[in-house]
Amino acid sequence: MARHHEGMRKERLDRGIKVRSDGVYAVGSWREMAFLLAPRLVLILGLLALPLALAQAPYWQKVLSIICIYALLAIGFDFLAHFVGLVSLGGALYIGVGAYLAALLNTELGLPVWATIPLATVLGGGVCTLLLWPCLPLRGVYFAIVSLMFPLLASRIIEALDVFGGTDGVIGVAGFPGVWVEQYLLVVCLLLILFGLRRLVNEDVGLVFRGVKDNDQAVKASGINITTFKALGVFIAASLGCLGGAILAHIYNWAGISQFALDFSIIPIAATVVGGGGTLVGPVIGCLILVPISELLRDFGTLRIAVYALILMAFIVFKSEGLMSFGARKYNQSESWVEI
Amino acid sequence: MAAARAQMSPDQAQPLLSVRGLNKTFGGVQALAEVSFEVRPGDILGVIGPNGSGKTTLVNAITGFIKLDSGRVSFQGRDITGWAPHKIVNRGLTRTFQVMRPYFSLPAFKNLIVPLFSNRARRTGGWRGGGRLGSRDTVAVDILEEIGFERESYVPYKVASSLPTGYLKRLELARCLALRPELIICDEVFSGLSMSEMASMVPLMEKLNLEGITLIMVEHRLRELFRLATRVLVMNFGAKIAEGTPEEVMADEQVKEAYFGSEEVYGYV
Ligand SMILES: Nc1ncnc2c1ncn2[C@@H]1O[C@H](COP(=O)(O)OP(=O)(O)OP(=O)(O)O)[C@@H](O)[C@H]1O
Ligand SMILES: [Mg+2]
């Protein structure tokens, strides 16, 4: 088929329902409702069903938890990069701060899990925002580099000063009451945050964020403090990471300097590239693909990274827009070949 | 002394904006040299000068977009020198950009959501207080319709990147209006307009002024400017070389030499 198209061109038309649902018109029929809701339901029900489906495979349950934690980071990265205009490599910082805070709150102050996680999320977000505050005027790669320095610094400082348990880390952190609590806490948080953020970026405040990214002079001339909004963006992204870090500490009953590992800074970017930046859902899908691949590749030993890199390169070369953007286009548009 | 005199004669209003001894150099270029002037409430002050004479730099300096080397700016009797742009804007001193800066990917009316989100617009309700009555979207469309975006042909809903210069210049003005301005500094809102666009822009500026908005208009289109301006300030090489009514300025020898003496006069007047 695809080879005989001389004198023809591919025509793409928005499906009628897409055009109408973008406007103010009401959606009229079950079919149309289903068309709009199906992708969301697949994602929601799929994620909610995964822990059950993996009930017989404890190893893959762990992987699912890790996927969710990376997904929180990746959503934060995508939000900061595509809606606030800050390319942050601070993922490792967020995870580390969240993990240490939760661990210390639990072991030193004896707070239970249901208190340490929200506290570590909010306090950690605040700490990370304060650390990154002086860098907020930096743009592009400069912000990226500085945000990458912080996790490196943090682990070296903890090691050198031998604080917070030094190289041993904080041990004896309380675990979750059960694996179901751990899994559903993560999955539900992930879904709420995903849909919440998607809502936020489409509200008026989302337009302000996008203005800060695309047209900061005009935003200043509109009487809005761009530093405040950048800080707010960083706070949101950092809180997501700290939430992940806090949960991680309770999963492993431990917080240590390996939680400042660069994987937490890099994989979210890869996931965003694979899944499609600017969509917020894309990065989650990216994590659902990349993290299991990286687990499966453990069999390759040292070749793991090489194979991983090849897969990533293939994605970037063949589907640079990302899976989510590609999928959304296919879903919302009908394509046909027409005579020129 | 000056303050005491202002109190004694209430008819002589306190200046809305007062600029004292502004200096700014870029590398070796003296972009502003000891510029001082005052604007009274209700004025329309024209600012003219050859290309590169420092007009845009003056606008940037007053509105906080660049740091001054020396000099003071005060607005409504309050010293605003060195303030961040957003703080200055929130006091009602707004500006347009010579190179228009719309959010190209957004519909025209969505461009106004950002200014309507500012503290000042929330507090005052935006232009004419409309924000107290409706959602930001409604207020935005109302403002645009009021300044010439024909609603019946859906112009307010068109994507900014598809709009011609005339509308983009108005969109710059609309951003200021959404902030319920005391003063708008317009950096060349007339340039690049067709004759017909011009014909509706001049009355619009008059209307805004009648509503009580003070205007500073940086312009190259002298004919239209001189119809509007109550006073004119002339710049050359970063310095103020003359100030007065349009007639006085036209008659000034220095101005003729610096500005009208050149061939530009035929292009502009
Ligand atoms: N950011 C900057 N860096 C370096 N030089 C600058 C900068 N901004 C302005 N200048 C210089 O300052 C001088 C005044 O420029 P300005 O843009 O204020 O002129 P203008 O009167 O607005 O000109 P035009 O009528 O062309 O808009 C020019 O020589 C310009 O090259
Ligand atoms: Mg200029």
Side-chain angles (χ1 to χ4, degrees):
Chain A
M1 260 299 273
R3 262 166 258 115
H4 311 290
H5 288 307
E6 294 93 19
M8 318 248 311
R9 70 182 170 82
K10 212 175 194 180
E11 186 185 58
R12 288 190 182 131
L13 286 177
D14 273 356
R15 295 186 205 277
I17 169 67
K18 157 81 174 148
V19 179
R20 268 170 287 150
S21 58
D22 275 357
V24 290
Y25 306 103
V27 181
S29 73
W30 277 109
R31 270 190 59 168
E32 295 183 339
M33 297 256 264
F35 183 86
L36 286 180
L37 289 179
R40 291 167 177 80
L41 281 179
V42 167
L43 183 74
I44 295 172
L45 297 180
L47 273 178
L48 287 175
L50 264 179
L52 292 173
L54 299 174
Q56 303 307 318
Y59 172 75
W60 286 100
Q61 278 190 323
K62 264 285 116 74
V63 175
L64 177 63
S65 298
I66 305 297
I67 290 174
C68 290
I69 290 169
Y70 274 118
L72 288 172
L73 283 174
I75 294 175
F77 173 83
D78 192 24
F79 172 68
L80 265 191
H82 290 99
F83 295 94
V84 192
L86 294 171
V87 179
S88 158
L89 292 176
L93 174 74
Y94 312 149
I95 290 283
V97 168
Y100 269 94
L101 268 176
L104 291 171
L105 286 170
N106 179 248
T107 55
E108 300 291 320
L109 300 182
L111 294 179
V113 174
W114 57 261
T116 57
I117 291 178
L119 274 176
T121 303
V122 177
L123 290 179
V127 169
C128 296
T129 310
L130 283 182
L131 287 175
L132 290 169
W133 192 288
C135 321
L136 291 179
L138 300 178
R139 303 184 143 273
V141 71
Y142 300 101
F143 184 84
I145 291 171
V146 179
S147 62
L148 186 60
M149 289 301 121
F150 278 104
L152 298 177
L153 262 178
S155 54
R156 293 293 153 264
I157 288 174
I158 290 174
E159 201 178 336
L161 300 183
D162 206 16
V163 286
F164 308 142
T167 41
D168 293 338
V170 183
I171 45 177
V173 180
F176 285 100
V179 68
W180 298 112
V181 178
E182 167 197 323
Q183 300 259 283
Y184 277 101
L185 176 68
L186 268 167
V187 169
V188 171
C189 278
L190 181 63
L191 285 171
L192 287 178
I193 286 164
L194 177 62
F195 285 100
L197 262 190
R198 269 176 73 97
R199 183 73 171 267
L200 180 92
V201 296
N202 288 315
E203 297 279 319
D204 288 353
V205 61
L207 290 182
V208 181
F209 274 124
R210 271 188 264 180
V212 170
K213 178 189 168 229
D214 296 329
N215 200 345
D216 58 342
Q217 299 291 64
V219 175
K220 285 184 194 173
S222 301
I224 284 171
N225 186 349
I226 60 169
T227 312
T228 310
F229 274 82
K230 284 183 181 177
L232 192 62
V234 170
F235 178 78
I236 292 173
S239 299
L240 299 190
C242 290
L243 171 64
I247 295 177
L248 197 63
H250 286 292
I251 292 178
Y252 286 130
N253 308 117
W254 169 79
I257 49 179
S258 65
Q259 275 149 350
F260 288 107
L262 288 189
D263 286 15
F264 292 118
S265 291
I266 306 299
I267 290 182
I269 304 179
T272 306
V273 170
V274 168
T279 60
L280 297 178
V281 183
V284 177
I285 294 170
C287 288
L288 280 166
I289 295 170
L290 286 185
V291 179
I293 288 182
S294 132
E295 289 303 317
L296 289 174
L297 289 179
R298 283 190 191 282
D299 298 341
F300 285 79
T302 37
L303 268 183
R304 174 169 163 242
I305 299 296
V307 178
Y308 198 69
L310 281 177
I311 293 175
L312 256 184
M313 272 155 64
F315 259 113
I316 293 171
V317 172
F318 295 112
K319 277 284 161 278
S320 56
E321 60 183 335
L323 285 176
M324 185 60 200
S325 321
F326 175 75
R329 199 175 52 179
K330 290 279 176 210
Y331 192 71
N332 286 321
Q333 296 180 329
S334 57
E335 291 180 356
S336 59
W337 291 94
V338 293
E339 301 268 358
I340 295 177
Chain B
M1 266 313 278
R5 205 178 302 136
Q7 270 175 4
M8 280 187 297
S9 56
D11 54 328
Q12 191 183 357
Q14 193 196 14
L16 183 66
L17 176 77
S18 141
V19 169
R20 291 272 154 266
L22 299 194
N23 281 298
K24 177 75 193 178
T25 52
F26 289 114
V29 183
Q30 181 91 15
L32 289 179
E34 287 297 322
V35 179
S36 303
F37 65 92
E38 278 181 359
V39 183
R40 294 182 182 285
D43 269 358
I44 301 183
L45 175 71
V47 177
I48 63 172
N51 288 109
S53 56
K55 305 181 297 296
T56 299
T57 309
L58 179 66
V59 178
N60 286 337
I62 295 172
T63 50
F65 279 81
I66 56 170
K67 290 263 167 290
L68 282 164
D69 296 342
S70 66
R72 314 235 44 104
V73 182
S74 57
F75 182 65
Q76 293 174 323
R78 187 184 305 251
D79 193 335
I80 58 166
T81 319
W83 282 25
H86 66 94
K87 283 179 82 181
I88 295 179
V89 168
N90 275 309
R91 296 216 66 88
L93 201 177
T94 62
R95 55 98 42 106
T96 71
F97 290 101
Q98 180 174 354
V99 181
M100 291 89 77
R101 295 180 195 273
Y103 307 101
F104 282 108
S105 59
L106 294 179
F109 78 103
K110 285 284 182 192
N111 270 261
L112 299 188
I113 299 300
V114 178
L116 288 172
F117 206 86
S118 67
N119 287 338
R120 182 173 176 86
R122 286 161 189 248
R123 198 175 62 238
T124 60
W127 193 25
R128 298 175 178 164
R132 296 179 193 286
L133 305 174
S135 74
R136 291 196 188 92
D137 285 355
T138 341
V139 179
V141 176
D142 286 348
I143 293 176
L144 288 180
E145 191 176 22
E146 193 67 40
I147 66 167
F149 283 62
E150 298 83 0
R151 189 184 232 155
E152 53 284 9
S153 37
Y154 304 105
V155 188
Y157 304 99
K158 288 190 176 140
V159 177
S161 58
S162 73
L163 293 174
T165 314
Y167 285 109
L168 293 181
K169 292 279 179 187
R170 280 164 204 260
L171 201 49
E172 285 285 319
L173 268 180
R175 185 185 56 233
C176 299
L177 292 174
L179 291 155
R180 194 166 197 168
E182 301 287 333
L183 171 63
I184 306 179
I185 308 184
C186 305
D187 199 352
E188 303 200 12
V189 281
F190 288 168
S191 40
L193 298 192
S194 68
M195 288 315 272
S196 63
E197 285 170 334
M198 202 67 192
S200 57
M201 199 69 158
V202 174
L204 173 62
M205 302 311 290
E206 264 167 348
K207 184 172 98 175
L208 296 182
N209 186 243
L210 282 176
E211 279 192 16
I213 299 173
T214 310
L215 298 170
I216 297 180
M217 301 191 61
V218 175
E219 279 306 333
H220 280 302
R221 306 273 289 247
L222 302 188
R223 197 204 310 260
E224 289 81 4
L225 180 68
F226 285 2
R227 264 177 56 197
L228 285 167
T230 47
R231 281 183 320 121
V232 175
L233 184 154
V234 190
M235 307 224 1
N236 199 16
F237 297 114
K240 177 173 98 173
I241 58 169
E243 190 182 354
T245 62
E247 296 75 28
E248 286 167 3
V249 164
M250 292 273 251
D252 190 294
E253 282 305 319
Q254 242 188 318
V255 175
K256 278 185 190 158
E257 192 181 319
Y259 203 97
F260 306 106
S262 72
E263 60 203 340
E264 281 174 311
V265 65
Y266 304 108
Y268 291 130
V269 181

